[in-house]
């Protein structure tokens, strides 16, 4: 519901702590934890967001890296289609609209070959909850005073692989 006429209000205090550690020769770990609260009229959402990243040097030219992170997003992009158009609007969560939540894991191998050749392979997997899509009648300009009641909520996942082959020298 609208508050203060045509304005939505929300407050987000958060706390974050992290530590970067060298656990052994060539093995590094960065671990963090964020706790956030998002308060709107009539409701307060909160969540823990753990984050961890590790790096292991297998040899002086080969390394393995992996990470895991969770995130709560307290703003939704109100769009009427999958394209990112200038008519899309970002709106905060409300008493009836929950925040988005995602989990992502990634990992990859990184190779440094002689003569500046680099080859990297990394994959990721991401799941998302409470994704919103506007389903109202005005598809180009969603009415902002009715957006909370004209959407579909769903889940999503994204996954993929990135491959890099590069040649790096002092001049390139």
């Amino acid at each position: 519901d609208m508050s203060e006429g045509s304005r939505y209000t929300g407050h987000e205090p958060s706390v974050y702590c992290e530590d970067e550690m060298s656990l052994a020769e060539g093995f590094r770990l960065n671990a963090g934890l964020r706790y956030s609260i998002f308060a709107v009229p009539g409701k307060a959402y909160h969540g823990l967001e753990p984050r961890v990243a590790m790096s292991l040097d297998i040899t002086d030219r080969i390394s393995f890296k992996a990470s895991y992170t969770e995130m709560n997003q307290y703003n939704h992009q109100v769009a009427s289609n999958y394209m990112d158009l200038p008519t899309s609007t970002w709106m905060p969560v409300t008493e009836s609209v929950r925040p988005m939540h995602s989990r992502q894991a990634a990992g990859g191998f990184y190779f440094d070959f002689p003569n500046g050749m680099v080859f990297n392979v990394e994959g990721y997997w991401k799941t998302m909850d409470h994704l919103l899509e506007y389903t109202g009648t005005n598809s180009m300009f969603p009415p902002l005073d009715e957006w909370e009641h004209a959407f579909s909520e769903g889940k999503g996942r994204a996954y993929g692989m990135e491959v890099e082959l590069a040649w790096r020298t002092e001049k390139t």
Side-chain angles (χ1 to χ4, degrees), residues 19 26 44-45 71 79 83 106 120 136 141 148 150:
D19 191 15
Y45 298 96
M71 185 187 80
M83 294 177 13
N120 301 324
F141 299 99
E148 293 176 273

Side-chain angles (χ1 to χ4, degrees), residues 7-155:
R7 292 179 45 172
Y8 286 91
T9 59
H11 302 281
E12 181 183 3
S14 63
V15 176
Y16 180 70
C17 63
E18 76 171 329
D19 191 15
E20 188 162 328
M21 303 161 262
S22 291
L23 300 176
E25 183 68 31
F27 182 52
R28 293 169 301 286
L29 181 73
N30 182 300
L33 184 65
R34 180 176 187 262
Y35 177 73
S36 62
I37 300 172
F38 195 83
V40 296
K43 186 123 183 172
Y45 298 96
H46 62 95
L48 285 174
E49 300 174 358
R51 299 157 188 200
V52 64
M54 58 86 59
S55 175
L56 174 64
D57 294 335
I58 298 170
T59 69
D60 60 337
R61 294 188 177 271
I62 301 172
S63 63
F64 172 75
K65 297 177 184 177
S67 65
Y68 176 80
T69 185
E70 292 190 26
M71 185 187 80
N72 295 300
Q73 185 168 313
Y74 299 106
N75 291 298
H76 290 279
Q77 185 177 22
V78 180
S80 56
N81 55 45
Y82 295 105
M83 294 177 13
D84 190 14
L85 298 173
T87 58
S88 298
T89 306
W90 287 91
M91 301 296 288
V93 298
T94 65
E95 184 178 3
S96 61
V97 178
R98 298 181 289 182
M100 289 181 276
H101 181 78
S102 67
R103 293 175 182 90
Q104 179 172 310
F109 286 93
Y110 303 83
F111 304 89
D112 291 325
F113 295 112
N115 302 320
M117 293 297 293
V118 175
F119 179 69
N120 301 324
V121 177
E122 183 174 302
Y124 69 93
W125 179 271
K126 181 177 185 178
T127 61
M128 298 157 280
D129 296 317
H130 312 300
L131 297 175
L132 300 184
E133 182 177 6
Y134 178 73
T135 58
T137 56
N138 187 342
S139 63
M140 285 304 289
F141 299 99
L144 299 182
D145 59 344
E146 299 174 13
W147 83 270
E148 293 176 273
H149 309 290
F151 64 85
S152 294
E153 182 178 307
K155 296 178 180 249

Side-chain angles (χ1 to χ4, degrees), residues 151-165:
F151 64 85
S152 294
E153 182 178 307
K155 296 178 180 249
R157 71 175 174 244
Y159 51 90
M161 185 173 74
E162 297 177 9
V163 178
E164 176 188 21
L165 178 61

